[in-house]
Amino acid sequence: MTKTWKELPEGGLITESGNAHQYETGDWRNLRPVHDQEKCINCLFCWIYCPDSAIIIKDGKVVGVDYAHCKGCGICARECPEKVKAIKMVDESECE
Amino acid sequence: MSTKELVARTGNEAMAEAMRQINPDVVAAYPITPATEIVQLFSSFVADGLVDTEFVTVESEHSAMSACVGASAAGARVMTGTSSQGLILMAEILYIAAGVRCPIILAEVNRALSSPINIHCDHSDTMSVRDSGWIQIFSENSQEAYDNMIQAVRIGEHMDVRLPVMVTTDGFIISHGLEAISMLEDKEVQDFIGPYKAAYSLLDVGKPITVGALDFTDFYFEHRRQTAQAMENGKKVILEVGREFGEKFGRSYGFFEGYKLEDAEIALVMLGSTAGTARVAVDKLREAGVKCGLLKLRVFRPFPAVELAEALKHLKAIAVMDRSDSLSTAGGPLFTEVRSALYDLPSRPAMVNYIYGLGGRDITVADLEGIYQELQRISGGGQIQKTLQYLGVRE
Ligand code: SF4
Ligand code: SF4
């Protein structure tokens, strides 16, 4: 269960670094970036531009999107090179 | 107990001297009448090398309190001073100081709020930030202002509390009134307050933290609940510190002080300097056989509701004196809270409210005698004609 007021650090302090990872923001999303492995040239523009570090990289290649943190801003799709366009923003209601 | 020679100090001088002896790490302040002198005197202590304080001059009270919060979050012992418009310009950051649990000490000189612009005493400024999460301690005179400043450090910095504290005096009446006070030795003050141990520090690179982060619906309430608990804990600490101060220096403090209250049938309840005037009225009427008394509230936040009810329960009639108006049309802030505190008593005293002294309007012994006479009439079975009355306004 989420911590009670007696257990939380006082004053709204965040007492460890990098713990934003524990806070899931993915349910704010209306549009979902869907990555096409076939089209992708792995330029990593999307990875550089994503404000939520939600592009998952393995061995220098994009392998997917961290949907628990991606807020659906669409920056990755926009920055993906014009000739490639390997990321499509799809309405969440159309995703299963 | 120390026996000290008396020295002549105004309220502002007494507060500045207390700050010198406390020797805080940081003072960030902006001048405003009638509190200017406090930080002006303190800046001369800094210039003369009498303190080790980093004195930060800023461009507004909003910035002053912001700098205080930053310094406090960095782990410093921090103090400032202000009044009136300055206090309400700080208001946004006052709430933040309490929320991030910075035990900043603020010397506040009570002054009316604009409009109309006025530089004289009433309690509107302090009352306007009563829900900000600051502990609020009122003083009757320079001696109390001095003693309260020193105790405030111990209260605010207590690990169970960690809340900011404002110590108030009444503008001009106390701030510029010269009185005989007994000061402690510098070392006595230092021994009493002890070294400051911050609960956290932004500058601790070995333990990185974030201060002032965003809370959504799932955490905000919990953090507010913590602050409410800190206030609750403050009640115990205020009493402990007041008792220890008395044991060491001969002047004890509690939530409030009664004057000829135990056997009284009628009483006034008030904050600040008017208590001195009321004592004279009580003495005069006692000589004439009137069983009257006085309760001077020292601590308004946290509000000692249970203790007040216990101290007032035997009375037949009470007049609560508000030196500010909530403009609710249902009474001043002190009245509504005192009356609420007495609600659970099996038999309640009759209660009336007087709004008085706004914008520094003088209040005399005769004014207060008049109120006691009205209370005598009410306690004798007379009807309350008006619960809320404005005392001393031209009708
Ligand atoms: S939509 Fe925005 S948050 Fe989601 S992966 Fe793309 S850039 Fe990152
Ligand atoms: S920007 Fe487009 S092409 Fe480049 S790595 Fe991302 S998805 Fe692939």
Side-chain angles (χ1 to χ4, degrees):
Chain A
M1 202 187 77
T2 318
K3 285 182 178 167
T4 68
W5 67 269
K6 288 178 186 159
E7 297 160 344
L8 287 166
E10 285 185 347
L13 242 58
I14 295 174
T15 51
E16 48 185 302
S17 50
N19 75 346
H21 193 70
Q22 295 166 25
Y23 197 74
E24 300 203 344
T25 51
D27 56 1
W28 302 4
R29 193 176 53 242
N30 291 326
L31 298 175
R32 175 190 297 201
V34 178
H35 177 245
D36 186 337
Q37 207 85 53
E38 303 292 304
K39 289 189 189 164
C40 178
I41 57 166
N42 292 305
C43 67
L44 303 192
F45 280 11
C46 56
W47 174 75
I48 289 168
Y49 279 101
C50 172
D52 284 294
S53 310
I55 302 289
I56 306 166
I57 302 286
K58 213 176 163 216
D59 301 328
K61 291 195 166 98
V62 175
V63 294
V65 179
D66 169 10
Y67 290 124
H69 294 93
C70 163
K71 299 194 192 84
C73 65
I75 291 174
C76 52
R78 161 95 180 236
E79 295 303 328
C80 185
E82 214 45 61
K83 287 182 184 161
V84 185
K85 285 296 170 211
I87 297 176
K88 218 167 86 186
M89 299 305 290
V90 182
D91 199 292
E92 277 292 331
S93 63
E94 286 158 26
C95 308
E96 73 271 359
Chain B
M1 186 181 136
S2 23
T3 45
K4 297 282 149 51
E5 277 178 43
L6 294 178
V7 292
R9 293 287 182 273
T10 65
N12 282 348
E13 288 168 351
M15 285 180 132
E17 290 282 12
M19 287 171 71
R20 177 183 60 74
Q21 294 179 307
I22 291 162
N23 192 9
D25 300 311
V26 174
V27 168
Y30 189 84
I32 184 166
T33 301
T36 301
E37 225 180 352
I38 300 170
V39 286
Q40 182 189 327
L41 286 167
F42 189 80
S43 71
S44 67
F45 298 150
V46 176
D48 293 345
L50 299 179
V51 287
D52 309 306
T53 310
E54 182 74 34
F55 189 81
V56 189
T57 50
V58 286
E59 74 283 10
S60 76
E61 287 84 356
H62 190 278
S63 305
M65 190 43 65
S66 299
C68 287
V69 169
S72 183
R77 180 177 265 162
V78 184
M79 303 183 83
T80 187
T82 195
S83 177
S84 185
Q85 306 302 120
L87 187 70
I88 61 170
L89 186 53
M90 282 182 180
E92 181 189 15
I93 314 299
L94 292 179
Y95 277 74
I96 292 170
V100 297
R101 311 292 292 278
C102 289
I104 299 161
I105 308 300
L106 167 63
E108 148 67 17
V109 182
N110 293 309
R111 171 187 143 181
L113 293 177
S114 299
S115 172
I117 192 166
N118 174 289
I119 57 167
H120 290 279
C121 173
D122 71 35
H123 298 161
S124 309
D125 50 355
T126 297
M127 287 299 167
S128 75
V129 295
R130 66 186 184 270
D131 300 335
S132 61
W134 282 62
I135 289 173
Q136 294 182 317
I137 304 176
F138 283 76
S139 319
E140 181 185 330
N141 49 42
S142 296
Q143 182 72 66
E144 288 192 5
Y146 174 81
D147 293 347
N148 285 338
M149 286 290 277
I150 293 161
Q151 291 173 67
V153 177
R154 283 277 303 276
I155 295 165
E157 291 177 4
H158 194 285
M159 273 301 175
D160 296 341
V161 183
R162 292 282 152 175
L163 284 178
V165 186
M166 65 180 75
V167 174
T168 83
T169 64
D170 284 352
F172 293 106
I173 302 162
I174 304 174
S175 69
H176 289 63
L178 198 61
E179 285 182 288
I181 72 165
S182 167
M183 281 177 54
L184 308 179
E185 301 290 342
D186 293 356
K187 188 175 178 314
E188 287 176 311
V189 174
Q190 280 299 320
D191 289 348
F192 186 78
I193 62 173
Y196 177 47
K197 276 193 68 188
Y200 63 83
S201 169
L202 267 178
L203 299 182
D204 185 354
V205 288
K207 199 174 170 293
I209 53 164
T210 303
V211 179
L214 174 77
D215 267 7
F216 282 116
T217 49
D218 48 356
F219 282 98
Y220 182 87
F221 206 169
E222 277 68 26
H223 286 127
R224 295 300 291 180
R225 178 66 186 85
Q226 288 179 339
T227 310
Q229 189 61 42
M231 257 310 168
E232 182 66 42
N233 298 346
K235 289 182 72 179
K236 188 164 157 271
V237 173
I238 288 164
L239 293 180
E240 278 169 13
V241 171
R243 199 176 309 123
E244 189 187 321
F245 193 88
E247 282 160 12
K248 293 210 162 95
F249 310 121
R251 295 184 296 275
S252 297
Y253 289 87
F255 294 133
F256 45 77
E257 188 191 332
Y259 183 67
K260 303 193 175 171
L261 189 64
E262 284 81 17
D263 67 335
E265 290 177 354
I266 56 174
L268 302 188
V269 175
M270 61 182 61
L271 291 157
S273 60
T274 310
T277 315
R279 272 174 232 271
V280 180
V282 168
D283 287 345
K284 276 183 80 177
L285 290 166
R286 280 273 174 178
E287 269 175 36
V290 181
K291 288 191 142 185
C292 59
L294 162 71
L295 185 142
K296 178 192 71 183
L297 187 59
R298 172 182 176 240
V299 179
F300 188 69
R301 285 289 181 271
F303 191 73
V306 177
E307 296 79 1
L308 272 174
E310 186 59 32
L312 298 172
K313 66 177 184 198
H314 63 285
L315 293 159
K316 288 186 179 155
I318 297 171
V320 179
M321 307 296 294
D322 266 294
R323 201 163 193 152
S324 65
D325 191 357
S326 65
L327 302 178
S328 74
T329 74
L334 184 58
F335 176 65
T336 47
E337 298 206 17
V338 172
R339 191 156 71 155
S340 167
L342 269 52
Y343 185 80
D344 290 329
L345 288 176
S347 89
R348 294 186 286 271
M351 290 183 77
V352 288
N353 184 207
Y354 288 89
I355 308 278
Y356 77 99
L358 300 190
R361 178 63 50 89
D362 205 13
I363 179 140
T364 65
V365 174
D367 291 331
L368 297 173
E369 279 182 86
I371 295 175
Y372 279 117
Q373 277 153 15
E374 173 64 4
L375 289 180
Q376 271 187 293
R377 190 188 66 74
I378 294 168
S379 69
Q383 282 285 325
I384 295 176
Q385 267 129 19
K386 263 183 171 172
T387 301
L388 167 63
Q389 296 201 61
Y390 293 87
L391 181 76
V393 73
R394 288 186 297 278
E395 296 287 353

